[in-house]
Amino acid sequence: MQKVINENISIRPLTFNDLNEVLQIENTSFKDPWTKGMFIREIGSNNFCILREENSNQLLGYFGYWQIFEEFHITNLAVASEYRNQGIGSFILNYLLSEAKRKNCQRIILEVRSTNLPAQKLYFKFGFEIVGKRKKYYSDSEDALILEKKIS
C-alpha cells in the first residue's frame, strides 16, 4: 500500500474525464451512491473537487460542498478504499474547514448514515456534533444524522 505524503496531493475541480474513476469509488463506498447525472451537475461549479497523488496520478478521493449564505454544507466526501486510514479524510476535512473560514461561513453541516461509524468517528474527531436526525433519509429508509461544526 502506498504511503501518501500531503505535499504530493493536488486538489482540483471535477471534470468529465474524472467521472469513471469517481463513480467507481462512489459505487464501492456508499449503499445509496450518487448517480452519474448528479456528478455531471457539479462539474463547472468549482465546489466539487478531486484529490490526486501527483507522482502516480492516482485518484485518492473527492468531496463536494455548497455554500448557502453563512452555511457550508458538505454534500459528498469519499476516499478510495486503498487509501483509507492514511489521513486522506483528515486532509480533506482540514481543507474544507479552511475553505469555510475563507468564505466567512459560520458553520459546516452534513448528513451521515446513522450506521456509518467510521465516518462519524472522523467527523467527531474534528469537533462535529449531532444536531438532529433525518428519519428515513436514504432510499433504503436508513436515518441520517445531521452533524454540525461551528466555525470561530
Side-chain angles (χ1 to χ4, degrees), residues 10-128:
S10 66
I11 298 174
R12 66 165 176 77
L14 176 71
T15 68
F16 284 102
N17 293 336
D18 304 313
L19 281 177
N20 288 337
E21 288 177 286
V22 166
L23 284 167
Q24 183 177 3
I25 295 171
E26 181 75 6
N27 290 327
T28 58
S29 297
F30 300 108
K31 290 185 204 175
D32 194 14
W34 278 25
T35 64
K36 186 174 187 177
M38 293 168 84
F39 285 106
I40 288 172
R41 282 192 290 279
E42 296 295 328
I43 293 174
S45 71
N46 291 328
N47 294 342
F48 204 100
C49 297
I50 64 161
L51 283 77
R52 285 210 183 268
E53 202 281 325
E54 287 293 315
N55 297 327
S56 67
N57 200 34
Q58 289 292 313
L59 181 64
L60 306 176
Y62 52 87
F63 60 87
Y65 67 89
W66 297 332
Q67 182 179 353
I68 306 163
F69 301 106
E70 293 90 27
E71 184 178 281
F72 195 89
H73 186 109
I74 298 173
T75 58
N76 197 327
L77 190 159
V79 174
S81 59
E82 62 270 28
Y83 292 100
R84 291 184 187 149
N85 300 311
Q86 295 186 42
I88 301 299
S90 293
F91 184 86
I92 291 171
L93 280 176
N94 277 320
Y95 177 84
L96 288 170
L97 285 168
S98 296
E99 279 296 289
K101 286 179 185 176
R102 188 178 68 77
K103 294 174 178 280
N104 297 313
C105 292
Q106 302 299 309
R107 67 187 190 134
I108 300 176
I109 64 164
L110 59 91
E111 291 89 13
V112 63
R113 281 183 176 270
S114 59
T115 59
N116 190 345
L117 300 180
Q120 290 175 41
K121 182 178 175 183
L122 175 66
Y123 295 129
F124 295 152
K125 181 175 95 171
F126 276 79
F128 282 83

